[in-house]
């Protein structure tokens, strides 16, 4: 129940910042609203397009939740703890001193940056975002600002973020860091959304920010030069004034992309729908659905509820058809290993992308008006609104001169659309090495393409429709 309230609060705070961001899109930005103007307040539209260009083309990224919570792996005092793996300290109300003891057991000797980055690359992912500090306050990097970190508090002593940042860049991937700026359950004064449970947590939020969060943000920005900074769970403690101190720091890195979860009324760059795909996306805005591959972000040894490759791939396509990015999470264990069922699914998606990548990367949303779903009259979502029930027949993405129709269900002899505002000049299947021309007939907005008898791919066969303007 507690967890549900916390999640609801997250959704509400995101909904508020979404509303703020939308209000922003209509009116010209007014830097005066913020104590310190952020990059989004001051840059021109062309500067913004240039800053966001790689991110908009990327479409697919790897989220990695890795931290001390991988040691208990979902168990406390030999009992499974329901909920998210990385929330175990909160959910089991583990005292600060006891939680800190996990550090002595954290020795991920099997961690290998090359293996992880190569997996992301094989999956067709273009960027990585890894937790540098989650709500438990444990820093996954050597930190002079606070001793509760991987270098000073564990037998491991390495700097996995250094190795990952370097390897990601070597393999041509962008590198981003998640940092829990607001919640911190082991630092006095750090916020705890569900309420504190240990006297050791008592303290002043501003002081926590000044002595831990801001100094650590300085460290990670200076040491790893992340391309993305991913904030989380803003609470009301993060006033506009306090948030503006962080913004002043972010402003020193003018290429940085940061999400809408800083707090203090700053909308950031990206909307972050969590665990769902918005029915219409966020037209005209940059957005990224973050999603777990099973039911937890941080590793839980007994969570084997992995989504199938079909579901994951369809999600990627659905998101791309609405102009968003898919940030798909993996949860490595305390030895430093990404669980095999997760790696296996990522590789399968990568094989599909090897053939069909041009229908995803750098694409624009669907040019068709089909909704591919409807709102349920009986079921409600987490916000109490009617739940969106998608249909999984097909989706479309586009590029100048091409529409990519992703056929999840083989429609039979013809693919038909009734609202084709494009002018079709030809068609072929992307997975057909010869790109054999398919017969196209168009009468006004009625478009038909003749298909071969069988799909070429069990999950998604991409039909390319060539178009010309007018
Ligand atoms: C939530 C959770 C957190 C997770 C994040 C990812 O807000 O609090 O554990 O890191 O979502 O989006």
């Amino acid at each position: 129940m507690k967890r549900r309230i916390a999640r609801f609060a997250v959704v509400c705070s995101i909904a508020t910042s979404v509303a703020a961001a939308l209000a922003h899109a209509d009116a010209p930005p007014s830097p005066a609203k913020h104590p310190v103007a952020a990059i989004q307040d001051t840059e021109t539209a062309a500067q913004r397009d240039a800053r966001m260009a790689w991110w908009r083309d990327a479409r697919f990224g790897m989220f990695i939740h890795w931290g001390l919570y991988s040691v208990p792996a979902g168990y406390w005092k030999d009992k499974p703890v329901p909920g998210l793996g990385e929330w175990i300290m909160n959910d089991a109300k583990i005292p600060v001193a006891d939680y800190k003891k996990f550090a002595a057991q954290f020795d991920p000797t099997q961690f290998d940056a090359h293996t992880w980055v190569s997996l992301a690359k094989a999956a067709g992912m273009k960027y990585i975002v890894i937790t540098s500090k989650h709500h438990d306050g444990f820093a996954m990097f050597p930190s002079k600002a606070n001793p509760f970190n991987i270098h000073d508090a564990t037998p491991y002593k390495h700097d996995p973020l250094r190795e990952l940042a370097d390897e990601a860049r070597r393999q041509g991937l962008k590198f981003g860091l998640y940092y829990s700026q607001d919640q911190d359950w082991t630092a006095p004064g750090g916020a705890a959304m569900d309420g504190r449970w240990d006297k050791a947590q008592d303290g002043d939020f501003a002081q926590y920010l000044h002595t831990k969060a801001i100094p650590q943000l300085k460290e990670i920005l200076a040491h790893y030069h992340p391309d993305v900074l991913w904030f989380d769970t803003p609470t009301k403690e993060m006033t506009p004034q306090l948030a503006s101190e962080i913004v002043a720091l972010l402003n020193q890195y003018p290429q940085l992309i940061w999400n809408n979860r800083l707090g203090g009324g700053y909308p950031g760059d990206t909307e972050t729908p969590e665990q769902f795909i918005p029915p219409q996306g966020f037209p005209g805005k940059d957005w990224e659905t973050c999603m777990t591959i099973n039911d937890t972000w941080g590793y839980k040894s007994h969570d084997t509820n992995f989504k199938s490759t079909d579901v994951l791939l369809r999600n990627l396509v659905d998101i791309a058809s609405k102009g968003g990015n898919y940030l798909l999470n993996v949860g490595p264990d305390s030895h430093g290993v990404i669980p095999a069922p997760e790696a296996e699914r990522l590789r399968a998606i990568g094989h599909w992308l090897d053939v069909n990548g041009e229908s995803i990367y750098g694409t624009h949303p669907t040019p068709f008006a089909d909704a591919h779903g409807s709102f349920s009259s009986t079921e409600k979502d987490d916000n109490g609104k009617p739940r969106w029930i998608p249909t999984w027949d097909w989706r479309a993405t586009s590029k100048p001169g091409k529409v990519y129709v992703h056929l999840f269900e083989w429609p039979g002899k013809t693919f038909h659309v009734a609202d084709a505002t494009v002018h079709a000049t030809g068609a072929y299947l992307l997975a057909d090495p010869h790109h054999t021309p398919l017969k196209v007939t168009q009468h006004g907005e009625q478009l038909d393409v003749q298909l071969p008898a069988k799909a070429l791919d069990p999950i998604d066969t991409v039909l390319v429709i060539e178009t010309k303007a007018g």
Side-chain angles (χ1 to χ4, degrees):
M1 188 60 198
K2 263 266 158 92
R3 203 55 214 101
R4 286 190 58 83
I5 294 168
R7 294 190 67 77
F8 182 63
V10 177
V11 171
C12 285
S13 75
I14 294 165
T16 313
S17 57
V18 168
L22 287 174
H24 231 76
D26 296 333
S30 94
K33 264 178 38 186
H34 298 138
V36 169
I39 181 106
Q40 301 86 5
D41 296 321
T42 55
E43 71 191 337
T44 63
Q47 285 168 332
R48 178 176 171 77
D49 288 346
R51 186 166 63 88
M52 296 302 298
W54 74 260
W55 193 93
R56 289 176 184 164
D57 284 351
R59 289 286 174 259
F60 194 24
M62 176 183 270
F63 214 176
I64 308 177
H65 275 67
W66 195 38
L68 267 198
Y69 37 81
S70 63
V71 173
Y75 283 84
W76 177 240
K77 297 201 192 276
D78 297 325
K79 290 209 183 75
V81 180
L84 301 168
E86 75 285 2
W87 275 76
I88 191 168
M89 182 182 178
N90 173 92
D91 293 347
K93 301 295 171 227
I94 303 177
V96 171
D98 287 337
Y99 190 83
K100 285 190 168 176
K101 286 185 194 143
F102 289 132
Q105 297 170 55
F106 190 53
D107 193 13
T109 50
Q110 293 177 50
F111 167 74
D112 176 39
H114 178 76
T115 305
W116 286 17
V117 173
S118 302
L119 176 63
K121 182 128 182 156
M125 291 159 153
K126 303 292 187 186
Y127 61 112
I128 291 174
V129 179
I130 182 166
T131 46
S132 63
K133 183 199 85 165
H134 206 269
H135 309 331
D136 64 358
F138 178 74
M140 289 292 287
F141 55 96
S143 171
K144 293 212 166 59
N146 189 287
F148 189 42
N149 69 66
I150 194 161
H151 184 268
D152 297 333
T154 78
Y156 187 56
K157 306 228 169 291
H158 294 245
D159 181 351
L161 301 191
R162 171 86 280 139
E163 293 170 34
L164 282 170
D166 292 349
E167 183 63 26
R169 282 158 182 153
R170 200 170 298 134
Q171 297 203 34
L173 272 69
K174 298 285 185 180
F175 181 72
L177 293 173
Y178 168 111
Y179 186 89
S180 178
Q181 81 289 3
D182 199 312
Q183 291 203 82
D184 190 314
W185 305 326
T186 49
M193 276 175 55
D194 287 3
R196 294 177 176 147
W197 60 91
D198 183 335
K199 275 200 166 39
Q201 297 167 324
D202 290 350
D204 176 62
F205 181 74
Q207 195 170 343
Y208 147 73
L209 217 59
H210 292 139
T211 56
K212 185 170 179 184
I214 293 179
Q216 288 197 330
L217 282 166
K218 279 188 187 153
E219 290 179 328
I220 59 174
L221 283 162
H223 293 167
Y224 310 108
H225 288 274
D227 300 295
V228 171
L229 208 48
W230 219 96
F231 296 111
D232 202 7
T233 59
T235 68
K236 61 180 188 324
E237 304 233 43
M238 187 66 82
T239 59
Q241 195 58 46
L242 288 172
S244 76
E245 295 182 36
I246 295 179
V247 167
L249 177 61
L250 306 181
N251 283 346
Q252 294 171 29
Y253 298 87
Q255 297 309 313
L256 187 69
I257 293 171
W258 44 285
N259 69 358
N260 66 342
R261 299 192 186 184
L262 172 60
Y266 285 94
D269 293 307
T270 55
E271 302 302 319
T272 53
E274 180 171 321
Q275 301 284 39
F276 73 98
I277 302 172
Q280 271 87 36
F282 291 88
K285 294 187 65 63
D286 294 301
W287 63 276
E288 176 189 64
T289 283
C290 52
M291 201 180 276
T292 51
I293 199 164
N294 44 4
D295 293 324
T296 180
W297 304 94
Y299 180 72
K300 280 180 90 168
S301 57
H302 53 290
D303 184 343
T304 53
N305 192 26
F306 301 107
K307 294 175 183 70
S308 67
T309 302
D310 296 39
V311 165
L312 297 170
L313 183 51
R314 280 198 245 126
N315 285 345
L316 172 64
V317 172
D318 189 25
I319 290 166
S321 78
K322 297 167 182 169
N325 282 8
Y326 195 23
L327 187 62
L328 180 58
N329 186 72
V330 295
D333 67 18
S334 64
H335 305 291
V337 175
I338 295 177
E342 304 186 5
E344 195 182 291
R345 284 158 177 77
L346 297 192
R347 285 200 193 92
I349 297 174
H351 286 140
W352 182 89
L353 281 165
D354 284 343
V355 176
N356 298 287
E358 76 159 85
S359 68
I360 298 291
Y361 307 121
T363 54
H364 300 294
T366 179
F368 304 131
D370 303 63
H372 300 292
S374 57
F375 288 101
S376 167
S377 53
T378 49
E379 283 182 61
K380 303 267 186 270
D381 66 16
D382 290 352
N383 292 317
K385 301 248 170 67
R387 185 182 294 284
W388 176 255
I389 313 285
T391 53
W392 293 105
D393 43 2
W394 58 275
R395 293 293 184 278
T397 54
S398 64
K399 274 184 187 165
K402 277 178 188 169
V403 177
Y404 301 97
V405 180
H406 297 258
L407 298 166
F408 304 133
E409 278 168 24
W410 199 243
K413 287 196 177 109
T414 38
F415 170 74
H416 174 80
V417 259
D419 63 348
T421 46
V422 294
H423 179 174
T425 58
Y428 58 89
L429 299 181
L430 195 51
D432 167 8
H434 309 294
H435 289 186
T436 315
L438 302 174
K439 189 166 175 247
V440 178
T441 14
Q442 186 166 13
H443 299 290
E445 294 188 1
Q446 304 284 330
L447 174 68
D448 290 280
V449 181
Q450 276 189 23
L451 299 173
K454 276 201 202 128
L456 298 189
D457 187 280
I459 305 177
D460 174 4
T461 301
V462 179
L463 164 66
V464 184
I465 300 175
E466 296 165 300
T467 62
K468 75 169 190 217

